[in-house]
Amino acid sequence: MNEGRRAVRRQVLQVAAKLLEEGGSEAVSTRAVAAAAGITGPALYRMFDDKDGLLAELAAYGFEMYLAEKREALALTPDDPVADLYRGWDLHVDFGVQHPAFYMLMYGTVQPGRRPPAADEAHALLVGLLSRAADAGRLRVPVAQATRVIHAATTGTTLALIGEEPSERDLTISARLRDTVIASVTTDPPASSGSDLASRALALDAALETALTTGPPAAGAAVPLRDTETALLREWLQQLAG
């Protein structure tokens, strides 16, 4: 796609985003978007095929906005992985409350196996935060389990708040759930004596996962184990973590 067509496509998405924010997904008809963008209906169909294709692109556009806001905000926080989890929760919920139509499109219509790449990036951002917490010995459960718990809790909380009248919305509910959920998967910093065996096992498991999944290793950084040995070691580490 050349730069001119890419710019037109972006402009159409911005117009559709404005209609979505103002009137929800029902307001995003192909006719309304084409008229607001100053293009013909056939031209719109050539870009997005149909309304479902347009809504899928809008969901991806929403994830891009969400990721941009979240990365910018997290860059300003102290280098504390658990503090970042608390901040990340608040940013997630705030985005949903401020952009309810986008959030419903992004998270309220999810189908298995049909996530835009930007949704995978959002998921990877959470995994990265939790992996940092595990590396620091601050997780009490494996990264994959903590990821599912926090994702389910933040999404459920946000959808529940969106479903309430703004005048009746109590954001302290989010804070209470945040504190309970994050406390259930994290621990205090391990003692300097290194006696917290579970946290240390999780930290080593997280380091192994990072080494195995971050692409070609640097010289001397490869895991010197066969696949079966690595799988067995990770099983033992997760047993030690309880």
Side-chain angles (χ1 to χ4, degrees):
M1 186 183 300
N2 62 40
E3 286 298 323
R5 292 177 62 188
R6 187 177 290 110
V8 171
R9 189 185 187 92
R10 192 72 176 179
Q11 180 185 5
V12 172
L13 282 173
Q14 290 171 346
V15 168
K18 186 174 186 296
L19 292 173
L20 178 68
E21 296 266 44
E22 293 175 349
S25 59
E26 294 301 317
V28 188
S29 68
T30 53
R31 178 177 297 179
V33 173
I39 62 175
T40 65
L44 185 71
Y45 279 105
R46 284 195 295 271
M47 289 181 193
F48 304 104
D49 293 331
D50 54 21
K51 181 177 178 178
D52 287 342
L54 175 59
L55 290 176
E57 290 279 351
L58 272 178
Y61 185 81
F63 274 112
E64 290 174 10
M65 289 196 306
Y66 167 70
L67 285 168
E69 291 181 10
K70 195 165 187 176
R71 288 195 182 104
E72 181 180 1
L74 288 175
L76 302 176
T77 59
D79 188 20
D80 180 338
V82 175
D84 281 348
L85 289 174
Y86 282 86
R87 180 63 175 147
W89 176 297
D90 291 341
L91 291 166
H92 183 104
V93 173
D94 183 66
F95 179 88
V97 171
Q98 296 298 323
H99 306 280
F102 260 116
Y103 193 88
M104 289 296 296
L105 188 61
M106 293 158 59
Y107 288 100
T109 59
V110 174
Q111 297 181 33
R114 293 186 60 186
R115 293 195 309 183
D120 290 331
E121 291 181 36
H123 179 80
L125 182 58
L126 175 57
V127 172
L129 290 176
L130 287 164
S131 296
R132 285 177 52 221
D135 288 341
R138 301 293 305 277
L139 280 192
R140 65 174 76 245
V141 299
V143 170
Q145 183 179 346
T147 300
R148 296 183 71 176
V149 167
I150 291 181
H151 173 73
T154 51
T155 304
T157 299
T158 309
L159 290 172
L161 289 171
I162 288 173
E164 296 180 345
E165 291 292 339
S167 60
E168 299 176 2
R169 194 174 289 153
D170 182 2
L171 294 179
T172 63
I173 298 298
S174 174
R176 290 171 67 91
L177 284 167
R178 177 201 65 200
D179 294 350
T180 300
V181 171
I182 294 179
S184 75
V185 299
T186 61
T187 68
D188 294 331
S192 58
S193 62
S195 60
D196 189 343
L197 180 60
S199 293
R200 291 169 66 84
L202 282 170
L204 179 54
D205 183 56
L208 276 171
E209 183 173 9
T210 298
L212 292 168
T213 60
T214 54
V223 177
L225 298 172
R226 293 189 292 270
D227 290 345
T228 53
E229 293 170 334
T230 301
L232 182 59
L233 174 58
R234 295 195 67 188
E235 181 181 347
W236 287 342
L237 289 171
Q238 291 173 16
Q239 288 180 12
L240 288 171

